[in-house]
Amino acid sequence: MKARPDSAVGEQASAEPENATKGTKVPPVRKPSEKKQATPAAAKSTPAKKSAAAKKAAPASKKTAPAKKSAPAPTPKAKAGAKPESHAALVRRARRINRELAEVYSYAHPELDFENPFELLIATVLSAQTTDLRVNQTTPRLFAAYPTPEDLAAANPDEVEELIRPTGFFRAKTKSIMGLATALRDNHGGEVPGRIEDLVKLPGVGRKTAFVVLGNAFGVPGLTVDTHFGRLVRRWKWTEETDPVKVEAAVADLFPKSEWTMLSHRVIFHGRRICHSRKPACGACPIADLCPSYGEGETDPEKAKKLLKYEMGGLPGQRLKPPPDYPGKPAPPLGAA
């Protein structure tokens, strides 16, 4: 079965202010609005009498200094004692976040280079414990040497190990990709199956890998729960689950099935570019006003801009062959300066 062109898998870009240093666009930050302090009832009307202690504490010759204005609330975190967010409210907020991300990342796409389902399957397995960039820099030689499952199944393991060495864990990965190539040759006529039940039976293939292939090579909706996806949905309080299968079920309950694949791309894009693990760029985040965790990272807009990665920071992306509408620079080949 032929893969759909990966440039059509999903796409998005916003009209944000320009990054002064790199000339790229940075998403506008919606800072939470400043909350007005409620005027105390005592301030509305002058009390008829003052206590003797109050008169001594405040001499008549001096006016009382005006109260200092409180700083704007930096985050929409729930106040102590406030009612927990209802499921309906959670669905509305989650879907609004998805719409906002769709505007910012209108060009979102799978960040692995591939030409067909077999290449995407192999690349996804190789992407474990490394970056998509390193996989994209490694697979051209691998696919040139072994373009089909039959070729890879009959390969010399030592030669495969040497080709995929840059991705790390190359011995275990060689065993997985040669094993799945053999299974495709022997059990599926050399074709990648289009059902999750068949995909997860292949060596080295779990639900995450299966949904990457199904969503981007076959157009079957699925949620890709990787480390970025799990981190962000917990920060947004969509779920508190840590098990990927439970995270998948919780998030699937918030969105129509038709949104699952593109939602995965948008969330992962946001996690890689702005909402980083150790130091999120809160001051450059376009959904700051919707995030219960705003303030965990750098909130100063100028400092936050320096934390942006890939095209958001004016740097090369992860793909050597990005889609035509990608606004950033292609990644360099392995070994290039």
Side-chain angles (χ1 to χ4, degrees):
M1 188 175 293
K2 293 185 179 179
R4 301 190 310 169
D6 59 353
S7 60
V9 172
E11 301 84 72
Q12 1 181 31
S14 61
E16 306 97 351
E18 298 230 342
N19 183 317
T21 58
K22 300 291 182 180
T24 58
K25 295 183 178 179
V26 177
V29 181
R30 294 180 177 83
K31 295 183 179 179
S33 58
E34 182 174 348
K35 296 181 179 179
K36 295 183 179 179
Q37 287 188 318
T39 305
K44 293 182 179 179
S45 58
T46 305
K49 295 181 180 180
K50 292 183 178 179
S51 65
K55 290 180 180 179
K56 291 180 181 180
S61 59
K62 293 184 180 180
K63 294 183 178 180
T64 304
K68 292 182 179 180
K69 293 183 178 180
S70 61
T75 168
K77 289 180 180 177
K79 294 181 180 179
K83 291 183 179 180
E85 187 176 36
S86 68
H87 182 72
L90 172 59
V91 170
R92 287 194 296 270
R93 182 169 63 84
R95 294 186 180 186
R96 184 179 168 193
I97 287 175
N98 184 38
R99 291 194 298 270
E100 298 282 352
L101 294 180
E103 292 183 9
V104 177
Y105 305 111
S106 61
Y107 51 89
H109 58 272
E111 294 193 89
L112 290 168
D113 286 326
F114 70 99
E115 299 292 337
N116 53 59
F118 174 64
E119 289 188 0
L120 179 58
L121 178 58
I122 295 297
T124 307
V125 172
L126 294 179
S127 69
Q129 304 298 315
T130 190
T131 63
D132 287 357
L133 170 59
R134 183 50 58 92
V135 173
N136 292 336
Q137 292 173 326
T138 303
T139 51
R141 292 175 61 201
L142 177 69
F143 295 148
Y146 312 108
T148 69
E150 292 82 0
D151 294 325
L152 184 56
N156 182 322
D158 293 337
E159 294 177 1
V160 175
E161 285 182 4
E162 192 58 33
L163 286 172
I164 68 170
R165 183 184 290 269
T167 67
F169 303 96
F170 56 90
R171 290 189 179 90
K173 289 180 179 179
T174 294
K175 185 176 180 180
S176 291
I177 64 174
M178 290 191 67
L180 72 84
T182 300
L184 293 178
R185 180 195 65 188
D186 296 346
N187 304 327
H188 300 282
E191 298 290 335
V192 176
R195 300 194 317 156
I196 189 170
E197 296 88 349
D198 297 324
L199 284 168
V200 295
K201 292 178 182 177
L202 298 173
V205 178
R207 289 181 69 84
K208 185 197 81 169
T209 297
F211 281 131
V212 169
V213 175
L214 289 174
N216 299 294
F218 294 99
V220 178
L223 290 169
T224 304
V225 183
D226 69 353
T227 55
H228 301 287
F229 191 96
R231 178 178 74 251
L232 267 63
V233 299
R234 284 188 289 274
R235 279 180 176 168
W236 296 334
K237 309 303 181 187
W238 290 3
T239 180
E240 294 182 356
E241 299 290 352
T242 56
D243 179 79
V245 175
K246 293 181 179 179
V247 170
E248 179 190 323
V251 176
D253 189 46
L254 303 177
F255 296 91
K257 194 173 182 179
S258 59
E259 285 290 315
W260 290 354
T261 299
M262 285 310 305
L263 171 69
S264 299
H265 290 320
R266 294 162 190 155
V267 173
I268 293 171
F269 258 58
H270 193 62
R272 286 174 171 169
R273 286 148 179 79
I274 296 179
C275 197
H276 310 135
S277 177
R278 295 184 180 179
K279 196 171 185 180
C282 294
C285 181
I287 56 168
D289 59 333
L290 298 171
C291 181
S293 300
Y294 175 84
E296 285 189 7
E298 180 58 66
T299 57
D300 180 84
E302 293 304 316
K303 292 180 180 179
K305 282 182 183 179
K306 297 178 182 179
L307 300 174
L308 301 180
K309 295 182 179 180
Y310 302 113
E311 76 281 354
M312 287 290 181
L315 303 171
Q318 299 203 76
R319 296 190 64 168
L320 278 65
K321 298 178 181 179
D325 63 341
Y326 179 65
K329 305 172 185 176
L334 191 64

